[in-house]
Amino acid sequence: MPSVCSRVLPALLLALSLAACAQDPAVEPVAPLSGLSSTYTDPYAWLETPDSPDALAWVARQNQRTLAELTQDAPLSDFISTATLLAHEASEEGGSGALPSGGAVDGKDPAVTTIDGVRHVYAGSNCYGTVDPDAPPPAPGADPVVMGRTCLVSLSRTGEDAVEVREYDPVAKAYVPGGFHLPYAKQTVVWLDHDTLLVARGWDSSDAALTRSGYPYVVKVVQRGQPLDQAHEIFQGRVTDTSVSPAIFRDRQGHRAIVLVRRPSYFTTEHYLVEGRHTLKLGLPPLAELAVLANGQLVVKLGQDWQTASGRTFPAGSYVSVDLDAARHDPAKLKAAPVYLPGPREAVTNLVKARSHLVVTSDENVRGRLTVLTRIDGGWKTTRVDLPDMSAVSIKSSSEDKDKLTVTVAGFLTPQAVWSVDLDSAAATLVKAGSPGFDASPYTVDQWQAASTDGTAIPYFIVHRKDMVLSGDNPTLLTAYGGFNLSRLPTYSATIGKLWLDRGGVYVVANIRGGGEFGPAWHEAALKTHRQKSFDDFTAVARDLIQRQVTRPARLGISGGSNGGLLMGVALTQHPDLWGAVAIKVPLLDMLRYEAIAAGSSWVAEYGSVSVPEERAFLASISPYQRLDPSRTYPETLIMTATHDDRVGPGHARKFAARMEALGKPVLFYESDEGGHGTRGLDDAARARGPALELAYFASRLMPRHAERPVGGQVVAGAAD
């Protein structure tokens, strides 16, 4: 059987041999695009069509040129081999099982399977039958009624968000004969009972039941063996919504809530209880999410301050509970009780239920915390679990049947470890330490902060050698995200360790506004026309690193993907003199057309809309595609995307690269034909290829040609200055 590394190298060598013969067509420079005018001509609009022959031919030429240049300037094959081996070891480290939570059907790789030759499997834990939800409530102390278990697995062709859904038997390791089978689509599917599903999807080939963002807004009931065209509709949103999806909440006491979640915009929600043939709109605030149902109480996470029917106000970021029976009786006038109120520098991230407790994960000053909540005298007692600091904490598995759960803990220098937590005592025990992919002993992690333009303190993590010299000459890789209420937490990456730190690099993660590091207010501070704060925060961290003499512009590289790709594009066009190298991955870059590309229209609540004059003016002022300036000098930029990205779409990256090339600016472009928006569902080799290309690029552009010196426990030579 060939090794995981050997599968990728022949393809690389073939691409390089083709590159030796390929000739890029001459490209005439173009005039600056007028982003401030009401209309403009886009000479590269043809690159927005993902699978057009002309666009794919352009992609092939760019890929060949990029691979040839990186192979010439860096030991690219070594980077790919090392990254692939590390990815394979990480997959093996994940362990095996019949159907791990969020994992694959065959259990070997947490995101990959090969049943029926289909590699990409998501949502493998969507199983029915662990507990019979329709059985009478069990007597105190009695075991729940356990039924047969089948699961819904979501199969993707190339890693997109669209999936095919099939019913699977994890014991027989086979699809259920005559079982549920929903064709390929963007869809949400939940069990109502063993023979009934609630499904939101496009219901015909014309996509008539999809929103303008490309997501479902019609929910129907599908019975076992029933053709989809005979499914019964129970709810319809609007084509202008972001999406509509069903959800089922159950508890051990036999309560069940059938909920339809309508999202008029990306962040706002409306929740409807389904009662027989009626739907009851719950009087929850627009920025709210249902978490769990426990003891007949709906637990709600608040994204905004909420004054309830009783007159009490709960702050944004809190968990509160609403009585389910009371909600059915008077859904518009809800009363609530506090469950968990975070501190001023804390952001709650998740809540799960166990047999006698609730458990909350949160980030306090961007460091993971785990808290056990115990119901006492009508209130909730909180007990903090002692876990390693400077880490990210996430819940791996939990069950209503017991008062134990397992969590994973990982840091920049400590691989993901599994801990068992006894919830009655709040005691944590290490079950399995992660296997290190590199020697972390020479390194340390600090948390520093920089002052942004408006004086706001912006924290950032810096991973570096313990004996780092503040000479201003350390090759430094800075990354951030800054959007959609998502946080950048300590994350273990053996690839970063082996291919960057061990080569003498410094790694920095900035926690800028727009993310969720400090709760909803941190996110809201950089929404729409306030987004320049996020960009300024990032620049402030870069300047702080330079001022502290960690690095200098010629040694400073920046990298980000998706919304972080937009951040990189803005950093490149606003401050090109600050960076020695820039990597922009699966990005948004044409902010005057983002609403018309892939799922872009779903993010108006985050970025604003060109249909609003004030918001359009701001988008035009920051849009990287329009702000490229023929008169400015830019560092060489690496742009990476995926043909099958059905969320952001490859058009942004393609057009930006084409325009940089036409303006005579140094640019490298690479587009993968595997995966979608990110690496979900990819095998080891495909998942490793992107980071390997990126780190080979940064090593060749940022690492100075000094005499050989020891770094990371080995002697290496730097690349060209």
Side-chain angles (χ1 to χ4, degrees):
M1 179 177 179
S3 70
V4 290
C5 297
S6 65
R7 294 197 299 269
V8 68
L9 293 179
L12 172 62
L13 294 174
L14 174 60
L16 295 180
S17 66
L18 292 174
C21 302
Q23 296 291 326
D24 279 341
V27 180
E28 294 295 328
V30 297
L33 297 178
S34 177
L36 297 176
S37 64
S38 59
T39 61
Y40 65 87
T41 300
D42 185 351
Y44 302 107
W46 57 277
L47 287 169
E48 291 181 8
T49 305
D51 55 356
S52 80
D54 288 344
L56 292 178
W58 179 89
V59 166
R61 291 193 297 271
Q62 295 292 330
N63 283 358
Q64 291 163 11
R65 182 174 65 85
T66 295
L67 291 173
E69 289 200 23
L70 290 180
T71 300
Q72 179 181 353
D73 297 337
L76 181 57
S77 61
D78 291 346
F79 276 75
I80 291 178
S81 297
T82 300
T84 304
L85 180 61
L86 292 171
H88 182 64
E89 290 174 349
S91 296
E92 292 292 312
E93 182 74 13
S96 61
L99 198 65
S101 177
V105 173
D106 64 6
K108 188 173 182 179
D109 185 306
V112 179
T113 187
T114 55
I115 54 172
D116 274 12
V118 179
R119 286 192 318 191
H120 309 284
V121 175
Y122 309 151
S125 59
N126 187 0
C127 299
Y128 183 89
T130 305
V131 178
D132 180 2
D134 297 316
D143 291 331
V145 179
V146 178
M147 302 175 59
R149 177 182 172 107
T150 60
C151 304
L152 298 175
V153 293
S154 300
L155 311 172
S156 172
R157 296 168 188 158
T158 53
E160 310 102 319
D161 292 343
V163 292
E164 173 188 358
V165 177
R166 297 190 67 175
E167 188 175 6
Y168 185 81
D169 184 336
V171 176
K173 292 188 178 295
Y175 293 122
V176 175
F180 288 110
H181 184 188
L182 304 176
Y184 211 70
K186 288 185 179 180
Q187 54 191 316
T188 302
V189 185
V190 296
W191 295 97
L192 186 58
D193 57 48
H194 189 262
D195 297 314
T196 313
L197 303 178
L198 292 183
V199 180
R201 57 171 285 132
W203 292 97
D204 58 41
S205 59
S206 68
D207 290 339
L210 295 180
T211 67
R212 293 172 183 169
S213 300
Y215 295 98
Y217 70 97
V218 175
V219 180
K220 295 185 181 184
V221 178
V222 178
Q223 302 289 342
R224 184 177 296 277
Q226 181 182 49
L228 289 186
D229 59 7
Q230 295 179 17
H232 173 66
E233 181 178 313
I234 63 169
F235 189 85
Q236 184 172 139
R238 298 177 180 174
V239 72
T240 55
D241 292 342
T242 295
S243 66
V244 174
S245 59
I248 306 290
F249 296 89
R250 299 180 174 96
D251 65 16
R252 286 182 54 84
Q253 292 71 38
H255 302 100
R256 182 177 73 173
I258 304 171
V259 179
L260 303 173
V261 183
R262 178 186 172 221
R263 297 186 180 277
S265 72
Y266 188 86
F267 299 111
T268 58
T269 57
E270 293 177 357
H271 294 87
Y272 296 83
L273 276 178
V274 179
E275 294 293 319
R277 295 181 177 273
H278 302 285
T279 55
L280 309 175
K281 183 179 179 181
L282 296 178
L284 294 171
L287 299 179
E289 299 284 348
L290 295 183
V292 298
L293 177 64
N295 298 98
Q297 304 292 306
L298 284 167
V299 180
V300 183
K301 182 180 180 180
L302 299 178
Q304 65 182 87
D305 294 350
W306 181 36
Q307 184 176 49
T308 68
S310 64
R312 180 170 181 178
T313 299
F314 294 96
S318 302
Y319 280 109
V320 299
S321 63
V322 173
D323 184 80
L324 177 58
D325 287 338
R328 286 171 171 146
H329 178 70
D330 193 355
K333 298 179 180 179
L334 299 178
K335 299 179 181 180
V339 175
Y340 188 80
L341 307 179
R345 297 284 286 178
E346 184 180 14
V348 292
T349 54
N350 193 17
L351 180 146
V352 300
K353 55 183 178 176
R355 187 181 184 94
S356 309
H357 307 272
L358 298 178
V359 184
V360 169
T361 57
S362 62
D363 300 316
E364 190 173 50
N365 202 29
V366 208
R367 303 175 182 190
R369 302 289 184 256
L370 188 76
T371 304
V372 180
L373 309 181
T374 307
R375 187 77 167 170
I376 298 178
D377 298 328
W380 293 93
K381 174 188 174 184
T382 63
T383 307
R384 182 64 56 82
V385 178
D386 186 19
L387 290 168
D389 197 13
M390 291 284 252
S391 301
V393 177
S394 61
I395 295 171
K396 179 178 176 65
S397 65
S398 62
S399 171
E400 283 191 81
D401 301 332
K402 54 188 178 181
D403 282 322
K404 290 187 177 180
L405 54 76
T406 56
V407 300
T408 59
V409 180
F412 289 110
L413 299 177
T414 53
Q416 188 177 88
V418 178
W419 292 70
S420 175
V421 181
D422 183 300
L423 300 180
D424 292 327
S425 63
T429 304
L430 179 64
V431 175
K432 181 181 180 182
S435 299
F438 70 103
D439 178 12
S441 61
Y443 308 110
T444 189
V445 180
D446 291 319
Q447 191 179 34
W448 296 346
Q449 66 181 30
S452 192
T453 305
D454 60 2
T456 301
I458 308 302
Y460 64 93
F461 292 103
I462 176 168
V463 188
H464 60 91
R465 285 186 59 86
K466 295 173 182 176
D467 59 357
M468 177 179 65
V469 177
L470 297 177
S471 62
D473 206 41
N474 296 289
T476 301
L477 178 55
L478 168 63
T479 183
Y481 186 76
F484 293 93
N485 201 31
L486 299 175
S487 303
R488 285 299 304 265
L489 305 175
T491 303
Y492 185 79
S493 170
T495 304
I496 290 289
K498 202 79 171 176
L499 296 180
W500 185 250
L501 297 177
D502 278 1
R503 291 174 178 268
V506 175
Y507 183 62
V508 181
V509 176
N511 301 115
I512 63 179
R513 282 174 287 185
E517 286 86 348
F518 298 108
W522 196 251
H523 171 229
E524 293 166 5
L527 283 177
K528 295 188 176 182
T529 58
H530 303 290
R531 200 164 204 83
Q532 186 62 43
K533 292 180 181 178
S534 179
F535 308 144
D536 290 345
D537 294 352
F538 186 74
T539 304
V541 171
R543 296 192 188 282
D544 195 63
L545 290 167
I546 294 169
Q547 183 177 0
R548 292 174 186 261
Q549 294 192 321
V550 172
T551 190
R552 56 189 172 90
R555 299 281 182 260
L556 179 56
I558 56 174
S559 173
S562 192
N563 175 76
L566 169 63
L567 173 66
M568 296 306 113
V570 172
L572 173 70
T573 52
Q574 289 189 354
H575 305 285
D577 57 319
L578 271 182
W579 329 113
V582 179
I584 303 175
K585 301 174 291 187
V586 289
L588 293 94
L589 293 169
D590 184 350
M591 298 308 292
L592 293 183
R593 271 192 52 75
Y594 87 92
E595 294 171 80
I597 301 174
S601 64
S602 61
W603 308 319
V604 168
E606 179 79 12
Y607 298 123
S609 173
V610 294
S611 64
V612 179
E614 178 187 7
E615 293 171 358
R616 186 189 194 284
F618 175 75
L619 290 170
S621 72
I622 60 96
S623 181
Y625 183 55
Q626 282 76 34
R627 304 316 298 182
L628 281 171
D629 187 341
S631 67
R632 303 194 77 173
T633 300
Y634 296 102
E636 182 187 59
T637 302
L638 172 65
I639 302 172
M640 304 175 72
T641 189
T643 305
H644 303 289
D645 182 350
D646 57 350
R647 197 178 307 175
V648 168
H652 288 275
R654 293 172 177 178
K655 295 199 305 178
F656 193 78
R659 180 158 172 76
M660 284 195 74
E661 184 179 49
L663 294 175
K665 309 304 178 184
V667 61
L668 297 174
F669 178 90
Y670 184 82
E671 180 171 310
S672 173
D673 64 355
E674 295 183 279
H677 191 68
T679 60
R680 185 177 73 163
L682 295 178
D683 63 16
D684 300 333
R687 190 164 60 251
R689 190 175 300 117
L693 292 174
E694 179 185 354
L695 290 172
Y697 158 75
F698 279 122
S700 64
R701 271 59 181 173
L702 300 178
M703 291 186 165
R705 188 183 295 279
H706 288 317
E708 292 189 350
R709 58 190 177 95
V711 293
Q714 59 181 335
V715 176
V716 300
D721 196 354

